[in-house]
Amino acid sequence: MIKLVVFDLDNVLIDTETIDEIAKIKGIENEISDITLQAMQGKIPFEESIRQRVKKLEGISTEEIDEALKDIPLNKGAVETASELKKQGYEIAIITGSFDVMAERIKEEIGADYVFCNILEVENGKLNGEVSGPLVTQNKVDVLRQLVDDIGITLDECAAIGDGANDLEMIKNAKIGIAFNAKPILRENADFEINEKDLRKVLDIMADEEKITQEEVVEETIEQEPEVTENTTTEEEVVAEEEATEEVEETEEAEEASEEETIDYSILNFQQLLQCKRTLESELTDLKNVRDQMNEETKEFRKERDELNQELKDTLKVALEKRNTRDEINKEVRENKNLRNECNEELKKVEWNSGKKEISNIQAEINKIDKTIQTKVLDIRKENELVKRVSDLTKQLKKIQSDEEEEKTAAQLKEKSEQYHQKVVELSDKAQAIHEEMIEYFNQIDGIREKADAKHQDFINSRNNATAKHEEVKAKLSEIRKVNKFMDQAKAAPKGRKAEEKSDNDVREKEEAEEIFQKFKDGKKLTTDEFLLLQKYNIM
């Protein structure tokens, strides 16, 4: 039995996204909406999306927020639905990844018992771009689990209403999951859909709670059904039963000839009714057996579906862990690349300062002059100038001495650069391997989800079939009670018939006695029986 009803806030209790309304103050609602949509569609993790969005709100004042949110209306039927649920004894909770500036107000307006939301951090009256709260790092279902533990119930006693991907686990784990104008990923996993903006439709679903949880309710109903007891048959009724055998057989033939025809029990005698009842009880036993078997199948389908959903959740968890590990390794790759590049830049500076670059430049010029002298025809004056230049450069080259300390530093930097590069290669290979493992897990998720969806459909079909069969059981019980009523009425009938038969016999005997007396007067001799008959009616 449901005891707690949980609502999401944005696009469920209110017809907007709170963060979008706040973003309008800064004129960045399109940027925020794009990130929100990706989160609702499950394309980016919710924690990442909410931190990205809140960061963009930095600098907005609390006064501006209060003004922007004060006129945001509730969705149609929100107050009426909450009020009616409270009257029926349900507790109400709001679990939302949205913010306290709106959630606390809505809690008061609908009279909710609990609210769990995130908090926009404020410094000096303005948002500082940070966010805290239970829904930043936790999934909604984790918050719901903690709540049901605190109030002493289970998830099987909860109904949840949501619209986006961050509601998925809560919708799947609650006894009744309702997708309210939801994204496809949520509709695929919900027990019920509401595709119009009217929360009063929730009341219709809750009113049909017995049908929703048929596999549990059927068992409770059967335990409470009164046991059908057969009326005690008297000795006279046993005799009458033998006499009525032929009539019962005729009745059975008539029933077989027209199974759809309603039996008029008022025209049947007690033994015919008794036979009808026994037939109905046999049919009831068969129906109960079939229904119970269906309920067992339904439970098995549900168990298999839940196991697949758990496998899906576990596989997704591993895939996300792989992704996080890959991202951490890639972060190390970037750090080592930066360190390697810094070493290389420093090495260039050291090599230049140590004279190696100057030596290289002088040698290049000498080589160029030698080539010119050897390949071109020059006048004597020009050739002498070039020869002198080579001589001067050679002397200069001999004077240049490399600094030993700088050479040692250069060697150390080169060694470090090579070490960082080797680290980059190793980490890149490791990140690639983990990335491939992550892809494999994500590929497995698609197959598991397909199986879980198919098993959920089997569960729904089986539950509906069990519900229909239970309706047949109830109808058969009603028919048996109806027969019992007519049997009670028919119990007195045999005594009435015997009294009537006795009266008819008396009349015939008296008439016979009068005839005998008339013959006696005419001289006929009387036998002892005839004489006693005359005495019985005081004719003599």
Side-chain angles (χ1 to χ4, degrees):
M1 180 177 179
I2 302 301
K3 296 179 181 178
L4 176 68
V5 181
V6 181
F7 290 90
D8 183 21
L9 177 66
D10 293 347
N11 296 314
V12 176
L13 288 173
I14 59 174
D15 190 19
T16 188
E17 289 279 347
T18 300
I19 197 167
D20 290 350
E21 299 301 319
I22 299 175
K24 289 177 183 178
I25 300 171
K26 218 175 177 182
I28 56 173
E29 59 268 29
N30 289 337
E31 296 178 43
I32 296 293
S33 294
D34 288 344
I35 301 174
T36 302
L37 181 60
Q38 292 180 60
M40 291 299 98
Q41 292 176 338
K43 294 181 179 179
I44 59 175
F46 184 77
E47 179 182 352
E48 179 182 339
S49 76
I50 195 170
R51 293 194 186 280
Q52 286 181 17
R53 289 177 285 168
V54 172
K55 189 65 178 175
K56 292 179 178 292
L57 304 179
E58 185 176 358
I60 299 175
S61 70
T62 54
E63 290 83 359
E64 290 174 311
I65 293 173
D66 291 341
E67 181 65 25
L69 300 182
K70 70 177 183 179
D71 295 324
I72 300 297
L74 289 162
N75 254 328
K76 182 179 179 181
V79 173
E80 179 183 343
T81 299
S83 176
E84 183 59 31
L85 289 172
K86 295 282 285 182
K87 286 180 183 177
Q88 295 177 18
Y90 298 105
E91 288 192 283
I92 296 176
I94 300 172
I95 299 181
T96 175
S98 191
F99 310 107
D100 54 334
V101 289
M102 178 63 82
E104 292 292 347
R105 181 194 121 195
I106 301 302
K107 174 180 181 286
E108 297 302 319
E109 290 190 16
I110 70 171
D113 300 283
Y114 313 95
V115 63
F116 299 89
C117 60
N118 291 322
I119 300 168
L120 294 171
E121 300 291 343
V122 177
E123 289 182 11
N124 301 321
K126 293 184 178 181
L127 302 186
N128 65 5
E130 300 296 327
V131 61
S132 61
L135 277 305
V136 176
T137 57
Q138 291 189 89
N139 193 299
K140 288 187 178 184
V141 73
D142 298 324
V143 174
L144 178 56
R145 285 193 177 102
Q146 184 61 52
L147 174 59
V148 299
D149 287 344
D150 291 343
I151 63 180
I153 63 174
T154 67
L155 289 175
D156 274 348
E157 295 171 295
C158 298
I161 302 100
D163 74 302
N166 63 327
D167 299 304
L168 179 60
E169 292 303 316
M170 181 172 71
I171 291 296
K172 283 165 49 175
N173 283 274
K175 179 70 171 180
I176 301 174
I178 302 173
F180 184 82
N181 299 291
K183 303 297 185 294
I185 191 173
L186 199 65
R187 294 202 305 269
E188 291 171 4
N189 290 275
D191 297 302
F192 296 91
E193 293 182 40
I194 297 176
N195 294 317
E196 55 183 292
K197 292 182 178 179
D198 187 350
L199 283 167
R200 290 173 297 183
K201 298 298 180 183
V202 173
L203 295 175
D204 296 336
I205 294 173
M206 298 305 295
D208 202 22
E209 178 188 342
E210 179 180 354
K211 182 175 180 180
I212 298 171
T213 58
Q214 187 63 51
E215 65 277 6
E216 288 85 8
V217 175
V218 162
E219 294 176 359
E220 296 175 3
T221 303
I222 296 307
E223 289 175 2
Q224 295 170 4
E225 285 173 354
E227 185 178 340
V228 179
T229 57
E230 188 175 285
N231 294 327
T232 304
T233 305
T234 65
E235 184 177 349
E236 293 178 346
E237 290 167 348
V238 171
V239 174
E241 180 180 359
E242 294 175 355
E243 295 175 349
T245 300
E246 293 182 1
E247 295 179 30
V248 172
E249 290 175 352
E250 291 174 0
T251 302
E252 289 176 343
E253 291 174 1
E255 289 173 355
E256 292 173 0
S258 179
E259 292 180 359
E260 300 298 325
E261 185 178 348
T262 302
I263 299 174
D264 183 359
Y265 294 117
S266 64
I267 66 173
L268 301 181
N269 61 34
F270 181 87
Q271 297 308 320
Q272 291 172 321
L273 290 168
L274 182 61
Q275 187 62 36
C276 287
K277 175 182 173 180
R278 288 172 175 167
T279 300
L280 290 170
E281 287 175 337
S282 175
E283 293 171 353
L284 175 64
T285 299
D286 292 340
L287 285 172
K288 284 184 176 180
N289 290 338
V290 173
R291 179 205 59 195
D292 292 345
Q293 183 179 354
M294 288 180 172
N295 282 329
E296 289 303 316
E297 290 175 354
T298 300
K299 289 180 182 178
E300 187 61 28
F301 284 137
R302 180 173 184 172
K303 178 183 176 184
E304 292 174 3
R305 180 203 66 184
D306 291 346
E307 288 174 350
L308 285 167
N309 282 334
Q310 186 60 46
E311 182 182 355
L312 179 64
K313 183 178 179 180
D314 293 342
T315 304
L316 177 60
K317 182 180 179 181
V318 173
L320 294 177
E321 288 174 350
K322 293 287 183 183
R323 186 185 66 184
N324 292 337
T325 303
R326 178 206 63 187
D327 292 346
E328 288 297 321
I329 295 174
N330 282 333
K331 183 179 177 181
E332 289 187 60
V333 170
R334 290 191 295 272
E335 290 172 353
N336 280 276
K337 278 184 178 180
N338 291 335
L339 291 170
R340 181 196 63 187
N341 293 339
E342 288 173 4
C343 283
N344 289 337
E345 289 298 320
E346 191 66 25
L347 181 61
K348 288 179 183 177
K349 294 177 182 179
V350 170
E351 287 179 341
W352 179 267
N353 293 335
S354 68
K356 287 186 177 181
K357 288 291 182 183
E358 188 176 356
I359 292 171
S360 177
N361 291 338
I362 292 173
Q363 187 64 56
E365 187 176 353
I366 291 172
N367 293 338
K368 183 178 179 181
I369 292 172
D370 285 342
K371 186 176 181 181
T372 299
I373 292 173
Q374 294 173 10
T375 59
K376 291 185 179 181
V377 177
L378 303 170
D379 59 48
I380 190 64
R381 184 181 61 81
K382 182 66 175 176
E383 184 175 346
N384 287 336
E385 289 177 356
L386 293 176
V387 170
K388 185 176 183 306
R389 176 62 180 162
V390 169
S391 177
D392 292 340
L393 289 172
T394 301
K395 292 177 182 179
Q396 184 180 351
L397 190 61
K398 290 179 179 179
K399 291 179 181 180
I400 296 174
Q401 297 293 330
S402 297
D403 187 291
E404 292 183 0
E405 187 64 31
E406 289 186 343
E407 283 189 354
K408 183 179 179 181
T409 301
Q412 291 174 344
L413 287 171
K414 185 175 182 181
E415 183 180 357
K416 282 186 178 180
S417 175
E418 291 173 352
Q419 289 174 351
Y420 286 134
H421 179 71
Q422 184 61 33
K423 196 72 172 175
V424 167
V425 173
E426 292 174 0
L427 289 170
S428 296
D429 291 343
K430 187 175 180 181
Q432 181 61 33
I434 293 176
H435 175 75
E436 291 173 0
E437 292 176 9
M438 178 198 73
I439 295 299
E440 179 62 28
Y441 277 106
F442 274 118
N443 289 337
Q444 290 178 23
I445 286 171
D446 292 335
I448 297 170
R449 180 180 289 114
E450 184 177 347
K451 291 180 182 178
D453 290 345
K455 196 60 64 176
H456 177 68
Q457 191 57 54
D458 289 340
F459 162 73
I460 294 296
N461 294 338
S462 181
R463 186 180 65 186
N464 291 341
N465 291 337
T467 299
K469 191 60 63 177
H470 180 61
E471 291 301 316
E472 292 183 41
V473 168
K474 292 197 293 186
K476 196 66 68 175
L477 281 168
S478 177
E479 194 75 2
I480 290 172
R481 293 188 188 101
K482 184 178 178 182
V483 172
N484 280 339
K485 180 180 177 182
F486 280 101
M487 288 177 69
D488 290 339
Q489 295 174 357
K491 271 186 177 182
K495 295 179 181 179
R497 283 197 298 269
K498 289 181 181 180
E500 183 179 345
E501 290 171 0
K502 183 177 181 181
S503 178
D504 291 342
N505 289 337
D506 288 345
V507 171
R508 285 196 295 272
E509 281 185 347
K510 188 174 182 181
E511 290 176 352
E512 184 180 353
E514 290 175 347
E515 291 178 2
I516 292 171
F517 181 65
Q518 189 60 46
K519 291 178 180 179
F520 172 71
K521 289 195 297 183
D522 292 340
K524 179 185 176 185
K525 233 182 205 184
L526 297 180
T527 64
T528 302
D529 289 338
E530 289 174 335
F531 182 76
L532 292 173
L533 185 60
L534 293 177
Q535 282 187 331
K536 179 179 178 180
Y537 291 100
N538 295 319
I539 295 178
M540 289 185 67

